[in-house]
Amino acid sequence: MPHIQVGQTTIPYEIRRSSITKKKSIVVRPNSVEVIAPDEADETSIAGFIEAKRRWVYTKLTEMNERLAYLERHSYDRLRSGAKIRFRGRNVALRVRQTDQPNFQIRFNGSFDITAPSHLTAEALEAALGQEMVAWFKTTLHADVEALRRRYERATGLAATGSQIIHSDTLWGSLMSRAEQKSATVAAQKYASVTARMGAPGGRSPQGGPMRGRPNF
């Protein structure tokens, strides 16, 4: 596998060819570095491209790994009172109380205040609470998406036909059909897209385009 050398650090990278792209670009992920290059680009030019950006690659890879290490240190061991979970970019405390009520109630006001049925054992409580939290997050996410959709409908003067939430390894979201996306590409390049990106200062990649990365969530 090809690699770049920064001091004592060896950073391997993969090359992905594309018949669509016209310029070389670099995608940095926590555990991998990828160079996307046009089909006609030779390996010598690709190697020269990433070699010229090796310090930038090293910096971004270090930043990502430090961020992941921080999240791991501050993640919870058990879903129980006193634990902290990641919500909207920060660690939020859980307060869990068991009462005589038959159902869970989840309230958020800077922290999570949760009441749970008293008949559940500690093990059963954690399992049931996990399911309840997932359902709560899904409901909240749908409400957030609808608020975002309405906001951008007002800003663009367009009307969305609906919205869908799916699991994805990338950070892109769209309110348009594929045909509308294609026609809007040029205009969209003039504005910052609604996405969390990790890149060079100003959200730009070394070659001037938007940098794709992994979410810090």
Side-chain angles (χ1 to χ4, degrees):
M1 179 180 290
H3 65 272
I4 53 176
Q5 192 74 30
V6 182
Q8 300 298 316
T9 303
T10 300
I11 304 175
Y13 64 90
E14 296 182 352
I15 300 173
R16 177 159 63 88
R17 303 282 181 170
S18 172
S19 59
I20 299 175
T21 187
K22 300 300 181 184
K23 295 182 179 180
K24 304 179 191 73
S25 61
I26 302 170
V27 178
V28 179
R29 300 185 179 90
N31 298 311
S32 67
V33 176
E34 182 180 53
V35 179
I36 303 174
D39 284 337
E40 62 272 15
D42 59 77
E43 293 193 9
T44 301
S45 68
I46 295 172
F49 172 73
I50 192 170
E51 180 68 22
K53 312 297 181 185
R54 67 185 188 281
R55 179 59 61 178
W56 180 89
V57 171
Y58 174 81
T59 300
K60 293 304 166 187
L61 195 59
T62 300
E63 288 176 355
M64 282 188 174
N65 288 330
E66 287 177 349
R67 182 62 177 169
L68 284 176
Y70 172 85
L71 293 176
E72 288 176 359
R73 289 195 305 271
H74 292 81
S75 61
Y76 62 87
D77 300 305
R78 302 281 301 275
L79 197 58
R80 57 187 177 184
S81 192
K84 291 186 177 181
I85 63 174
R86 200 73 176 168
F87 182 57
R88 291 176 174 167
R90 64 188 185 91
N91 292 327
V92 178
L94 295 179
R95 179 170 177 261
V96 182
R97 295 176 294 118
Q98 289 184 274
T99 68
D100 292 334
Q101 66 179 26
N103 300 312
F104 281 88
Q105 287 188 356
I106 300 175
R107 290 179 290 272
F108 177 76
N109 186 19
S111 61
F112 286 102
D113 186 7
I114 302 168
T115 53
S118 59
H119 68 271
L120 295 173
T121 64
E123 185 175 341
L125 173 61
E126 186 170 2
L129 180 55
Q131 295 177 351
E132 293 290 332
M133 290 295 291
V134 168
W136 187 91
F137 280 127
K138 287 182 177 180
T139 300
T140 302
L141 181 58
H142 277 283
D144 287 349
V145 168
E146 286 303 301
L148 188 64
R149 177 181 62 81
R150 291 191 296 270
R151 173 184 170 189
Y152 279 87
E153 282 182 336
R154 291 193 298 269
T156 63
L158 301 174
T161 57
S163 59
Q164 183 181 18
I165 298 173
I166 61 173
H167 175 79
S168 177
D169 290 331
T170 61
L171 305 175
W172 295 97
S174 175
L175 300 177
M176 296 178 285
S177 67
R178 291 188 181 275
E180 290 171 326
Q181 290 176 38
K182 194 172 182 179
S183 64
T185 299
V186 175
Q189 289 173 348
K190 298 179 181 179
Y191 300 92
S193 59
V194 186
T195 178
R197 292 178 179 176
M198 180 171 288
R204 310 304 291 178
S205 66
Q207 74 281 2
M211 179 61 199
R212 284 163 284 181
R214 305 287 293 184
N216 291 325
F217 189 81

